[in-house]
Amino acid sequence: MSDTQNPVNPSTPVGPAKGYRRIATEEAWAPPELFRQYRKLLESRVVDDPGFNTMWSFYLGSPSDRARSIIEKIQDLGEQRIRDMDAAGIDVQLLMLTSPGVQVFDAPTAVSLARDSNDQLAEAVRRHPTRYAGMAAVAPQDPQAAAKELERGVRQLGFKGGVINDHTLGEYLDDPKFWPIFEAAEALDVPIYIHPNTPPKSMIGPFLESGLDGAIYGFAVETGLHALRLIVKGVFDRFPKLQIVLGHTGEALPFWLYRIDYMHRATVLSKRYESVKPLRRKPSEYLRENFYVTNSGVAWEPAIRFCQSVLGVDRVLYAMDYPYQFVADEVRTLDAMDMPDEDKKKFFQLNAERVFRL
Amino acid sequence: MSDTQNPVNPSTPVGPAKGYRRIATEEAWAPPELFRQYRKLLESRVVDDPGFNTMWSFYLGSPSDRARSIIEKIQDLGEQRIRDMDAAGIDVQLLMLTSPGVQVFDAPTAVSLARDSNDQLAEAVRRHPTRYAGMAAVAPQDPQAAAKELERGVRQLGFKGGVINDHTLGEYLDDPKFWPIFEAAEALDVPIYIHPNTPPKSMIGPFLESGLDGAIYGFAVETGLHALRLIVKGVFDRFPKLQIVLGHTGEALPFWLYRIDYMHRATVLSKRYESVKPLRRKPSEYLRENFYVTNSGVAWEPAIRFCQSVLGVDRVLYAMDYPYQFVADEVRTLDAMDMPDEDKKKFFQLNAERVFRL
């Protein structure tokens, strides 16, 4: 029994869509050097991050079909990836450095690796300008350098925004020390994609012991927490034009709009926490106007349409999550969603073109 | 400015519904003795549970309208509660001991407090048999005693099932040592309501520092984790007839059905975790057939209808979450949901009557 799920069968390609391009907006890549550095970290045991250790000892060490296939595909920025895109009917991939990117290294290593990987990605986009687009990797460990690298990525390399793989060794972007990154994003008028990571050490215990720390659940609640922290700490009052992109149908935050508003108001009014201060707007308003969501990993019409209904059809974008979730049947299913043609075109194409200026 | 949100205005009562009774299925109470014991715990600082400490020092110590109103209302099992029910149009409350119930005490204290509180609740139900119904509090600290107390509660006191307030000092019900409780529930053919609690110490760090450990977010992801742990550890293969009730529109697990199935299968096939073994069925099948969800705290048509659409209209029940969320406007809003009359009657009345044998 294979452990690759519903693999794409190249003999029955999905083919072009009728009336829209399919732009996949949360697609992963990694340079061999990153994995060499991950292996060093794993061997030296210097990183006190159980989530990193379990995730990357699995992908880099497991003999399973899933791990080997992903490690092979994720490093390719050439013909293999494009063959897979063709087989699955994907016109364009928006590429970003896989999680946790450079966010587990000391600052100088992280800054250097971000720069090198961005140069490599830019080169691949230059080779395949109609098929690839890129997001800039940055090293939040050095916020000023991260802001500069975002600017370099956008202005010089043609990237469409930045990707931050969730917490940086347990630190979250609501800490004002990281805000030069948001300031740069707002000034450049580009979005920041907050991609999941495993929960940090201070949170992962009950997830890890039950095997639920990864994409099955831990990723989502950890990344949702990160986004909510940005809201309640007032990031969007300080940077009202900042746009954040979340994958995985918004890490379920769209599902929680009502409860978050209710309980945020109750918390503020009762002055329960020093850290929870009044905001200019309701949390749901920031979620509707400062966030975009993609459906990476959630090729499921009910959740996609729910997001469209509560955030608006202009706020929900298509993503495949290649190579972690490479399933041609998912594309066919989404092509067949019961949705007005214009909304489907927004989902697959127009929103991505607008948000990422493709 | 009052910090009570949208308080019920008794001069404009909601009034009886047309065609259905309103049965609220996750309504909280607490006896004065429980709060006396909580105060002792808080003063002696013997409980190593930051979530308990922050939650109950707020409710028992804050001068805010919210805290004082809740502490007053939650202890009443008489006329004040019934007046509030009348004002909000609630016909029946299904009462359960508030979180974390007895689950923070040493085993003998917990067993004794559960028994005493059950006796008091049963007495209140006897006084108001058409307005109140009860769930048995149990002390998982002593699983055999908890099983016996569940049996006593159902057989002798007329309770409709058991309530467990999430983790017990960081321990989850997927540990087989707790399974006598599930065995009793299955044998008695009554549901177990898993009510939220704050995340345990091993998880709460990033929530607490941002004021997100409570009902705004921490409750939900912690309780969702608990429910998922039951599934992946095979509780429902061992107890296939066991029925679990989750509040808060299923703690968002209905939103995750697709991703959980996909990633569970990938995890099992790749043999990534010793703890994640094959199950007889897909996780979504257990979620659809071994769980009911209530809308406590989520008086929001989109989330309620989403749950109905992916779990089935027989699986979604009404709850108000009194006195934590006591808002007559929410009842009016739900009365007006765009939903077939028969589905609304199932939501407000028939499902509760069937699941809890009211």
Side-chain angles (χ1 to χ4, degrees):
Chain A
M1 184 177 185
S2 164
D3 64 359
T4 302
Q5 298 181 295
N6 312 316
V8 167
N9 182 345
S11 67
T12 57
V14 173
K18 292 205 172 65
Y20 48 85
R21 296 200 298 160
R22 298 191 195 90
I23 303 173
T25 57
E26 189 210 283
E27 315 307 308
W29 85 286
E33 175 62 12
L34 185 74
F35 288 161
R36 201 180 68 78
Q37 298 278 356
Y38 281 180
R39 288 184 203 275
K40 268 177 63 179
L41 282 189
L42 292 169
E43 284 158 16
S44 62
R45 299 168 188 270
V46 294
V47 174
D48 191 21
D49 182 342
F52 172 79
N53 292 334
T54 184
M55 181 160 68
W56 284 102
S57 28
F58 170 71
Y59 281 117
L60 293 172
S62 162
S64 65
D65 285 359
R66 176 171 172 83
R68 286 188 298 117
S69 161
I70 286 170
I71 291 301
E72 182 194 330
K73 287 180 185 298
I74 202 168
Q75 296 180 79
D76 183 88
L77 286 180
E79 297 307 325
Q80 177 181 357
R81 185 178 290 258
I82 287 171
R83 274 197 307 276
D84 284 347
M85 291 164 63
D86 290 342
I90 303 300
D91 295 282
V92 181
Q93 279 196 354
L94 180 66
L95 288 153
M96 47 193 80
L97 196 64
T98 198
S99 184
V102 303
Q103 292 169 238
V104 284
F105 301 106
D106 62 83
T109 306
V111 169
S112 162
L113 270 173
R115 170 174 277 268
D116 291 350
S117 71
N118 286 335
D119 287 339
Q120 286 183 56
L121 178 57
E123 177 55 34
V125 175
R126 273 192 292 274
R127 281 196 309 271
H128 303 281
T130 63
R131 308 303 301 274
Y132 294 160
M135 297 287 271
V138 300
Q141 294 94 324
D142 183 338
Q144 296 293 348
K148 282 198 193 314
E149 183 63 12
L150 178 63
E151 186 179 344
R152 185 183 80 97
V154 172
R155 292 233 170 111
Q156 296 180 32
L157 304 180
F159 289 153
K160 309 305 180 184
V163 59
I164 295 184
N165 287 296
D166 194 32
H167 70 87
T168 300
L169 292 170
E171 294 192 309
Y172 293 85
L173 298 168
D174 56 273
D175 186 327
K177 77 177 181 185
F178 295 119
W179 293 8
I181 304 170
F182 293 144
E183 197 174 349
E186 203 181 44
L188 292 161
D189 196 16
V190 294
I192 299 287
Y193 204 119
I194 299 187
H195 182 281
N197 188 8
T198 46
K201 188 186 181 189
S202 53
M203 174 178 161
I204 202 172
F207 297 85
L208 190 56
E209 69 190 20
S210 51
L212 296 171
D213 51 295
I216 190 171
Y217 192 64
F219 277 10
V221 300
E222 154 65 16
T223 314
L225 173 65
H226 198 155
L228 262 188
R229 287 176 61 122
L230 299 186
I231 292 170
V232 299
K233 293 292 191 70
V235 165
F236 302 101
D237 286 344
R238 172 68 185 77
F239 303 105
K241 291 190 297 178
L242 178 64
Q243 297 293 321
I244 299 292
V245 189
L246 297 175
H248 316 95
T249 45
E251 314 297 356
L253 293 183
F255 192 74
W256 288 121
L257 292 186
Y258 183 91
R259 188 155 170 81
I260 290 168
D261 276 352
Y262 185 98
M263 287 300 167
H264 182 262
R265 182 163 186 265
T267 305
V268 167
L269 289 175
S270 67
K271 302 184 169 62
R272 177 165 169 187
Y273 297 93
E274 178 62 27
S275 57
V276 181
K277 295 186 166 33
L279 299 171
R280 290 201 196 135
R281 316 179 68 186
K282 291 192 287 186
S284 63
E285 293 180 281
Y286 303 105
L287 280 162
R288 287 185 169 116
E289 294 171 35
N290 294 94
F291 285 85
Y292 293 95
V293 309
T294 82
N295 78 312
S296 53
V298 186
W300 193 41
E301 180 173 344
I304 293 166
R305 290 185 58 186
F306 181 89
C307 290
Q308 290 181 323
S309 76
V310 303
L311 300 181
V313 292
D314 293 330
R315 291 273 162 187
V316 186
L317 288 70
Y318 172 66
M320 173 176 260
D321 212 353
Y322 178 95
Y324 294 103
Q325 203 153 332
F326 172 42
V327 186
D329 275 349
E330 293 189 343
V331 181
R332 290 188 187 94
T333 302
L334 297 180
D335 275 344
M337 284 190 293
D338 180 18
M339 186 182 292
D341 286 347
E342 60 268 34
D343 293 355
K344 208 178 288 179
K345 186 166 184 167
K346 285 182 172 182
F347 172 71
F348 272 111
Q349 173 187 344
L350 298 181
N351 291 343
E353 288 175 349
R354 188 182 75 255
V355 176
F356 299 108
R357 305 230 186 106
L358 298 175
Chain B
M1 184 178 185
S2 164
D3 63 358
T4 303
Q5 296 183 294
N6 312 313
V8 166
N9 181 346
S11 67
T12 58
V14 173
K18 293 206 172 63
Y20 48 84
R21 296 200 296 160
R22 299 191 194 89
I23 302 173
T25 58
E26 190 210 282
E27 314 309 306
W29 85 286
E33 174 62 14
L34 185 74
F35 288 162
R36 201 180 68 78
Q37 298 279 354
Y38 281 0
R39 287 185 204 274
K40 268 176 64 179
L41 282 188
L42 292 170
E43 286 158 16
S44 63
R45 300 166 186 271
V46 294
V47 173
D48 190 20
D49 182 342
F52 173 78
N53 293 333
T54 185
M55 181 160 66
W56 284 102
S57 24
F58 170 71
Y59 281 116
L60 293 173
S62 163
S64 64
D65 286 357
R66 176 172 172 83
R68 287 188 299 118
S69 160
I70 286 170
I71 292 302
E72 181 194 330
K73 288 180 184 298
I74 204 169
Q75 297 180 77
D76 183 88
L77 286 180
E79 297 306 325
Q80 176 180 0
R81 185 179 292 257
I82 286 171
R83 275 196 307 276
D84 284 347
M85 291 165 62
D86 289 343
I90 304 301
D91 295 281
V92 181
Q93 279 196 354
L94 180 66
L95 289 153
M96 49 193 76
L97 195 65
T98 198
S99 184
V102 304
Q103 291 168 238
V104 283
F105 301 106
D106 63 83
T109 304
V111 169
S112 163
L113 270 173
R115 169 174 279 266
D116 290 350
S117 71
N118 286 335
D119 287 340
Q120 286 182 57
L121 178 57
E123 176 56 30
V125 174
R126 272 192 294 274
R127 282 196 307 270
H128 303 282
T130 63
R131 307 304 300 273
Y132 294 161
M135 296 288 271
V138 300
Q141 293 94 323
D142 183 339
Q144 295 293 345
K148 280 198 196 315
E149 183 63 11
L150 178 62
E151 187 179 342
R152 186 183 80 96
V154 172
R155 292 232 169 112
Q156 294 180 32
L157 304 180
F159 288 153
K160 308 307 182 186
V163 58
I164 295 183
N165 286 297
D166 193 32
H167 69 86
T168 301
L169 291 170
E171 294 193 309
Y172 292 85
L173 297 168
D174 56 272
D175 186 328
K177 77 177 179 184
F178 294 119
W179 292 9
I181 304 169
F182 292 143
E183 197 174 350
E186 201 181 45
L188 292 162
D189 196 18
V190 295
I192 299 288
Y193 204 119
I194 299 187
H195 182 283
N197 188 9
T198 45
K201 188 184 182 188
S202 53
M203 174 178 162
I204 201 170
F207 297 85
L208 190 56
E209 70 191 19
S210 51
L212 296 170
D213 51 294
I216 190 171
Y217 192 64
F219 277 10
V221 300
E222 154 64 16
T223 314
L225 172 65
H226 198 155
L228 262 188
R229 287 177 61 124
L230 299 186
I231 292 170
V232 300
K233 292 293 192 67
V235 165
F236 302 101
D237 286 344
R238 171 67 184 78
F239 303 104
K241 291 190 297 178
L242 178 65
Q243 296 294 321
I244 299 292
V245 188
L246 296 175
H248 315 96
T249 45
E251 313 297 357
L253 294 183
F255 191 76
W256 288 120
L257 293 184
Y258 183 91
R259 188 152 170 84
I260 290 169
D261 276 352
Y262 185 97
M263 286 300 168
H264 182 263
R265 183 164 185 264
T267 306
V268 167
L269 290 173
S270 66
K271 300 184 171 64
R272 178 166 169 186
Y273 298 93
E274 176 64 26
S275 58
V276 181
K277 295 186 166 33
L279 298 171
R280 291 202 194 133
R281 317 178 68 185
K282 291 193 287 188
S284 63
E285 294 181 280
Y286 303 106
L287 280 162
R288 286 184 169 117
E289 293 171 36
N290 294 93
F291 286 85
Y292 292 94
V293 309
T294 82
N295 79 311
S296 52
V298 186
W300 192 42
E301 180 171 343
I304 293 166
R305 291 184 60 185
F306 181 89
C307 289
Q308 289 181 323
S309 77
V310 304
L311 300 180
V313 291
D314 294 328
R315 291 272 160 188
V316 186
L317 289 70
Y318 172 65
M320 173 176 259
D321 212 353
Y322 179 95
Y324 294 103
Q325 202 154 333
F326 173 40
V327 187
D329 275 349
E330 292 190 344
V331 180
R332 291 188 187 96
T333 302
L334 297 180
D335 275 344
M337 283 190 294
D338 180 18
M339 185 182 293
D341 287 346
E342 61 268 32
D343 292 356
K344 209 178 288 179
K345 185 166 184 167
K346 285 182 173 184
F347 172 69
F348 272 111
Q349 173 186 343
L350 298 180
N351 291 343
E353 289 176 346
R354 189 182 73 255
V355 175
F356 298 108
R357 306 233 186 103
L358 297 174

